[in-house]
Amino acid sequence: MTAALDGEAPDRAPSPVAEPDPAYPRPQVTRGRWTDLTGTWQFGYDDAGRGVDERWYDGGGMFDRHITVPYPPESPASGVGDTRFHPVVWYRRSFERREAGARPGERVLLHFGAVDHRASVWVNGHLVATHEGGHTPFSADITPALTDEGSQVVVVRAEDDPHDMTQPRGKQDWHERPHAIWYERTTGIWQPVWLEPVPATHLAALTWTSDLDRCVLRVRARVEGPAPAALRLSVRLTLRGEVLADDVYPATAPVVQRDIPLDGSRIQHERRSYLWSPDYPNLIEARVRLLLGDEVVDEVGSYCGIRTAGASDDHFVLNGRAYPLRMVLAQNYWPSSHLAAPDGEALKREVELVKELGFNAVRIHQKVEDPRFLGWCDRLGVLAWGEMPSALDFGPRTVRRITSEWLEVLDRDLSSPALVAWVPFNESWGVPNLEHDPAQRDAVQALYHLTKAIDPTRPVVGNDGWENLASDMIGVHDYSPSGQVLRDRYGSREAFERTMATVRPYYRPISLPGLARNGQPLIVSEFGGITYDPGREDYWNGYGAVGSAEELLERYGDLVGALLSSPVVAGFCYTQLTDTAQERNGLLSEDRRPKADPGAIAQINRQYSAAVPGQALEEIQIVHAARMRSGS
């Protein structure tokens, strides 16, 4: 997809706030000209590891099949569908120089959304980039490697050792066939690849943060290329056509950071018109330019939102007010394409489904999702938790890898107003002896404090699920099968303190010595997991199964009702949104069909009456039964 092929494209970047192109890979930094490199590539396996010595990057190689990028070769959508162990894979494709769309004096950037796990990239035989980290983006200025005319050849080598437990892998299995809660591996390219022509001096990155107390937006722009003394940064902010700011700053340093004052009185008195929240997802459109006199050197479109997120006095706090979290766990896995989304529309639909089921937030689990997903959370109004995919073994190599990749995650997603919490560790994965090993405790505490140092604007859950050690919220995973057990554990402050001291919901203590208790809210960040999958028996049944849609709805109402009636539970996260491989405990099937009436589920989430829970649930079940009979 490229505007450059159709002649001179307009310099003005497309609006990032208006309905975006679902294929555009980077929602918060948009340009009008780009070339989509997804589609058919040549592909080959290198099980013997001979490719570099045999110079596969320079005309040789066993590219004996084709693959559809960005789908991993393990997936059916890739056209390969080979789930066996292949630790090294190679890709090759060509494009014409004119396809890059570069004008005289411009540079050509080659972008990769994510390549799992270690990538090397050559253009016309020249090494242009290396990157380690299977979930984060990287780019290369390939201009010096391009020839003046003719075909330009891109070659990618991806190394992904299936047995390396120090590698952040999320829930990718190390067995050849998926078992328990683990699923197929994702090897190589699994997010978009694209070309982008940019001026020699250009905006390389933008980040936005807001300070509601001071009523300012902070912009941080990174500039690459020559910076003449007269270079200026122009920032124009508009909201529904109203100009909020139109300022110009000197831009002679590689990084320009400025606080942009806003009209605090109007924002405080017209919160619904200016602030961002799931109830009113107001996005401010930004036009950011580099200027040299009257000349526009570079321009990008961006957006931001005015909102604050925090945790205090036993509540999750959004925009200075307590905000109950109604989350659903999302692994965002598709049977045809695995961790890669089938297309941009599928990412939008995933966010729409979260809202249709009555949730106001999503916990992205063991995955760094395509940035377009967060873009839709921003636009449609769904809060999100960002989580680092776990390694499974502990040691210096694990710590180095997680730290390096986590910093890239923070950098990529820092500006999303929808993202309101960070989770560097989950359920002590990668730190399996956290309770007894001081080095592992130091690792969790270090990642917690590092995250706060990079981003002091969001709560951080150091290790979600149990063994809370350094955390702004107490995350508890509790798959108790009945609402009564949840009431016994969390139904009052006294019950919760007793549970903290004596109960191990999954055989692990909820907290470890050293956790400072200073008003952190309790978030039951995994519960439920009810399996309902009629006609199928080969599923993993770890949390209990039901035999009908009515029973699923009854159990769901019982569990959710117990948490909603608790005076100490500040939020919950139900497991899970969709079926994922052999985990058949989604509210939706793997092809996104509801297993029970979505309206009834939404009504439980939004309107459950704690005063008369039995009556409320009975009314919801009557509505559900009527809808099921009518087929609506």
Side-chain angles (χ1 to χ4, degrees):
M1 181 170 300
T2 174
L5 290 178
D6 299 324
E8 289 294 304
D11 285 327
R12 186 172 177 81
S15 168
V17 175
E19 186 75 8
D21 176 0
Y24 193 83
R26 191 182 52 198
Q28 277 194 283
V29 183
T30 62
R31 282 192 170 90
R33 293 181 292 144
W34 67 290
T35 303
D36 190 351
L37 291 187
T38 60
T40 303
W41 291 52
Q42 292 175 287
F43 182 76
Y45 290 119
D46 185 13
D47 294 346
R50 298 194 302 262
V52 174
D53 290 340
E54 295 177 359
R55 300 177 66 89
W56 289 18
Y57 55 84
D58 194 19
M62 294 292 293
F63 296 91
D64 55 355
R65 64 192 75 195
H66 290 88
I67 189 170
T68 302
V69 168
Y71 308 121
E74 292 87 353
S75 71
S78 71
V80 178
D82 187 342
T83 60
R84 295 173 297 176
F85 293 137
H86 294 291
V88 180
V89 297
W90 289 74
Y91 300 78
R92 182 170 65 191
R93 71 154 290 166
S94 61
F95 64 92
E96 296 299 313
R97 177 67 188 256
R98 65 179 182 84
E99 290 184 78
R103 298 164 181 164
E106 289 189 325
R107 316 295 291 181
V108 178
L109 305 182
L110 174 61
H111 298 282
F112 291 86
V115 181
D116 197 359
H117 170 74
R118 184 185 296 111
S120 300
V121 183
W122 292 264
V123 173
N124 295 330
H126 300 281
L127 182 66
V128 296
T130 59
H131 180 262
E132 181 171 342
H135 311 91
T136 49
F138 63 97
S139 303
D141 182 344
I142 65 172
T143 313
L146 298 176
T147 60
D148 291 338
E149 57 184 26
S151 293
Q152 319 293 316
V153 180
V154 180
V155 175
V156 179
R157 178 187 186 271
E159 182 179 348
D160 189 18
D161 183 350
H163 300 112
D164 186 349
M165 297 301 186
T166 69
Q167 179 178 302
R169 64 194 303 131
K171 292 180 70 173
Q172 299 179 54
D173 210 323
W174 59 99
H175 292 184
E176 189 165 74
R177 300 301 308 138
H179 76 291
I181 61 170
W182 314 96
Y183 45 71
E184 298 286 8
R185 290 167 298 285
T186 292
T187 298
I189 301 171
W190 68 278
Q191 288 190 25
V193 185
W194 76 101
L195 295 171
E196 180 182 41
V198 298
T201 300
H202 60 274
L203 290 157
L206 284 174
T207 56
W208 303 93
T209 54
S210 58
D211 185 335
L212 191 55
D213 290 335
R214 296 171 54 220
C215 284
V216 299
L217 272 172
R218 172 169 293 174
V219 60
R220 182 180 175 91
R222 181 162 57 86
V223 180
E224 290 190 354
L231 192 67
R232 297 290 184 268
L233 179 76
S234 167
V235 180
R236 181 180 173 87
L237 303 177
T238 59
L239 177 62
R240 294 183 296 274
E242 177 189 353
V243 177
L244 302 184
D246 195 355
D247 298 328
V248 179
Y249 315 102
T252 54
V255 175
V256 182
Q257 180 172 294
R258 292 291 185 270
D259 286 349
I260 304 172
L262 303 171
D263 188 335
S265 177
R266 294 188 65 183
I267 290 172
Q268 292 296 344
H269 291 92
E270 301 177 50
R271 294 170 63 91
R272 288 182 173 270
S273 297
Y274 289 96
L275 300 186
W276 188 97
S277 84
D279 305 305
Y280 33 92
N282 298 303
L283 291 180
I284 297 170
E285 182 168 356
R287 290 285 171 186
V288 184
R289 295 175 171 180
L290 291 176
L291 304 176
L292 199 56
D294 294 331
E295 176 191 359
V296 178
V297 176
D298 190 23
E299 176 184 339
V300 298
S302 187
Y303 69 81
C304 53
I306 308 170
R307 72 103 185 90
T308 58
S312 63
D313 299 326
D314 301 317
H315 296 287
F316 171 76
V317 179
L318 185 69
N319 295 330
R321 299 178 181 178
Y323 194 93
L325 291 170
R326 306 288 181 259
M327 296 191 289
V328 65
L329 190 80
Q331 302 194 72
N332 291 16
Y333 186 95
W334 289 265
S336 64
S337 55
H338 298 177
L339 286 182
D343 52 40
E345 289 289 352
L347 292 167
K348 178 184 180 182
R349 183 58 184 151
E350 209 80 343
V351 178
E352 291 174 336
L353 289 167
V354 170
K355 289 185 68 72
E356 288 172 13
L357 290 167
F359 298 100
N360 59 22
V362 59
R363 179 176 164 227
I364 306 169
H365 184 49
Q366 288 302 293
K367 180 183 183 183
V368 180
E369 185 51 280
D370 188 308
R372 292 174 293 177
F373 179 83
L374 280 179
W376 287 114
C377 289
D378 294 336
R379 289 178 179 85
L380 301 179
V382 171
L383 300 174
W385 282 23
E387 182 174 302
M388 180 64 196
S390 297
L392 297 179
D393 197 6
F394 181 76
R397 195 179 190 198
T398 300
V399 174
R400 284 195 297 268
R401 284 176 155 181
I402 289 177
T403 301
S404 176
E405 195 164 356
W406 184 236
L407 287 171
E408 294 183 344
V409 173
L410 299 178
D411 183 62
R412 195 199 77 172
D413 294 338
L414 182 68
S415 298
S416 168
L419 201 148
V420 293
W422 297 114
V423 182
F425 288 96
N426 170 74
E427 291 186 348
S428 305
W429 294 359
V431 283
N433 194 25
L434 188 62
E435 186 175 4
H436 303 291
D437 185 350
Q440 296 185 26
R441 292 197 296 275
D442 285 341
V444 171
Q445 290 173 319
L447 263 291
Y448 166 83
H449 288 293
L450 178 63
T451 306
K452 300 290 286 186
I454 299 297
D455 179 15
T457 71
R458 292 176 174 89
V460 179
V461 180
N463 177 46
D464 189 45
W466 49 68
E467 297 179 332
N468 284 266
L469 178 62
S471 190
D472 299 321
M473 297 183 283
I474 298 175
V476 177
H477 295 180
D478 190 332
Y479 285 98
S480 298
S482 75
Q484 187 56 54
V485 174
L486 295 179
R487 288 185 178 90
D488 291 342
R489 291 178 176 178
Y490 313 108
S492 67
R493 186 162 302 281
E494 294 74 21
F496 175 50
E497 293 301 328
R498 184 171 61 251
T499 299
M500 284 281 290
T502 64
V503 177
R504 296 188 170 205
Y506 206 76
Y507 315 108
R508 303 285 190 101
I510 292 176
S511 66
L512 294 180
L515 175 68
R517 297 289 299 280
N518 52 13
Q520 298 103 316
L522 165 64
I523 309 294
V524 181
S525 47
E526 284 188 29
F527 78 106
I530 305 163
T531 295
Y532 171 50
D533 192 10
R536 178 168 173 165
E537 298 180 356
D538 60 334
Y539 55 75
W540 179 81
N541 181 17
Y543 310 126
V546 296
S548 68
E550 288 76 16
E551 189 179 357
L552 172 61
L553 191 64
E554 180 178 5
R555 285 276 300 278
Y556 182 80
D558 179 43
L559 296 172
V560 171
L563 298 180
L564 288 178
S565 63
S566 166
V568 296
V569 174
F572 64 70
C573 179
Y574 182 81
T575 303
Q576 59 182 324
L577 180 63
T578 71
D579 288 348
T580 302
Q582 66 273 22
E583 287 187 275
R584 318 304 290 181
N585 50 20
L587 294 171
L588 308 171
S589 66
E590 61 185 4
D591 59 0
R592 278 52 182 172
R593 289 179 293 105
K595 297 183 181 181
D597 178 16
I601 294 171
Q603 191 174 350
I604 292 172
N605 288 335
R606 293 170 177 156
Q607 300 179 21
Y608 191 98
S609 170
V612 283
Q615 177 183 342
L617 180 58
E618 181 180 359
E619 292 172 354
I620 292 169
Q621 289 173 321
I622 292 172
V623 173
H624 165 74
R627 287 179 175 173
M628 295 295 286
R629 286 194 299 271
S630 67
S632 62

